[in-house]
Amino acid sequence: DELCKKTLIVVQIDNFNKYRQYFGQDTMDEIVIFIAKKLSKYTLENCLYHIELDKFALIIDSQIDTKDIEKKMQILNKDELYFEKLELNLQLTAGISLASEDSLNKAQIALSSAKKSNTIFEIYSANNSMFKELNNELFWSLALRKIINNDDLVLAFQPIINNKTLEIYKYEVLMRVRYNNEIHFPNSFLNISKQFKLYKFLTTSLIKKSFSFFDITSSTNN
């Protein structure tokens, strides 16, 4: 299979949006062309693609050595990406996929991981923490929508005790969710709910359920 004999590398220009805001789009177009010319010498014929404003995809021989990639990236970032017009030394970060299937997506995941860990490149691995994190985020983004739609938020009450009398004088209402017949604590989903803009729906549900619970309790006591 010819595809299996290739490696896909996604390369991103660091700080692209900051440069664009400062220097303008016309100058950034020049920078993109400048970098494309620098990258083209590392690719197979007609295998360099400009896939986003600040990203390129390169296809090269799969018989690559990690040390060779690191050396090329260091040379690019240190010596070859000096843009004379602005006296600016540009920097690149790369994500690499050696897989034959879904290689572009995997290279993008590796790129995100490299940027998060502040390294010049990373090679995709299913064991990579970024891949596991993305899977977890996707799982909870879908699960939370179902939880909200099914009203499966669960109230928990933590007693607040008076240190002097040792009596309970109020309760703190805590959030839990029920999914697949299990109760899950906020450390599993709270940050993800904020990332996917679902936190306000959970908070609204918590408040409504709390008022409803206290109404029922008050009526019962009376």
Side-chain angles (χ1 to χ4, degrees):
D1 188 340
E2 192 65 23
L3 185 59
C4 294
K5 298 178 182 178
K6 306 290 183 287
T7 295
L8 179 65
I9 303 178
V10 173
V11 177
Q12 185 172 33
I13 305 169
D14 294 347
N15 300 309
F16 184 90
N17 286 329
K18 291 181 180 178
Y19 291 146
R20 183 171 58 170
Q21 291 171 4
Y22 192 79
F23 298 116
Q25 187 60 49
D26 290 343
T27 299
M28 295 314 297
D29 289 342
E30 292 182 51
I31 287 176
V32 166
I33 294 170
F34 167 76
I35 289 180
K37 289 178 179 178
K38 294 293 183 181
L39 293 175
S40 61
K41 66 181 180 180
Y42 294 110
T43 68
L44 299 169
E45 186 178 357
N46 299 321
C47 286
L48 174 66
Y49 305 93
H50 185 210
I51 58 173
E52 294 180 32
L53 281 175
D54 58 348
K55 289 181 183 177
F56 296 87
L58 300 79
I59 299 176
I60 62 175
D61 290 333
S62 65
Q63 303 303 316
I64 57 174
D65 183 86
T66 302
K67 292 182 180 178
D68 186 48
I69 295 176
E70 185 171 12
K71 182 179 178 181
K72 285 183 170 65
M73 288 293 295
Q74 286 175 343
I75 291 172
L76 275 168
N77 283 343
K78 183 179 178 182
D79 301 322
E80 296 190 5
L81 296 182
Y82 182 72
F83 191 63
E84 291 186 5
K85 179 178 178 178
L86 300 177
E87 298 183 344
L88 180 68
N89 189 60
L90 301 162
Q91 299 286 302
L92 301 177
T93 303
I96 300 167
S97 172
L98 306 176
S100 58
E101 295 181 357
D102 200 21
S103 56
L104 179 59
N105 184 51
K106 290 172 180 176
Q108 297 265 31
I109 291 172
L111 172 65
S112 296
S113 182
K115 293 184 76 68
K116 186 174 182 179
S117 58
N118 199 30
T119 56
I120 56 176
F121 79 94
E122 281 202 22
I123 299 174
Y124 171 85
S125 167
N127 294 321
N128 184 282
S129 60
M130 176 66 73
F131 179 72
K132 292 179 179 179
E133 184 178 325
L134 287 171
N135 273 346
N136 186 58
E137 288 176 357
L138 179 60
F139 167 81
W140 275 110
S141 70
L142 298 174
L144 287 172
R145 293 178 193 278
K146 292 181 181 179
I147 289 165
I148 292 166
N149 290 338
N150 296 333
D151 198 23
D152 278 336
L153 186 139
V154 178
L155 300 181
F157 298 92
Q158 177 171 288
I160 307 297
I161 299 175
N162 187 310
N163 287 334
K164 293 181 178 179
T165 64
L166 300 182
E167 294 180 346
I168 297 172
Y169 69 100
K170 61 181 176 180
Y171 288 86
E172 179 183 8
V173 182
L174 304 175
M175 182 187 298
R176 307 284 187 264
V177 295
R178 182 186 292 108
Y179 191 72
N180 288 340
N181 295 319
E182 292 184 15
I183 300 298
H184 298 270
F185 290 76
N187 62 303
S188 299
F189 61 83
L190 205 61
N191 287 337
I192 297 171
S193 74
K194 294 175 182 178
Q195 180 181 339
F196 286 89
K197 297 182 173 62
L198 298 171
Y199 178 69
K200 67 177 181 179
F201 298 106
L202 292 173
T203 303
T204 300
S205 179
L206 179 74
I207 293 171
K208 287 181 178 179
K209 286 201 169 207
S210 297
F211 277 109
S212 177
F213 174 83
F214 292 125
D215 280 346
I216 294 171
T217 305
S218 177
S219 299
T220 303
N221 291 337
N222 291 333

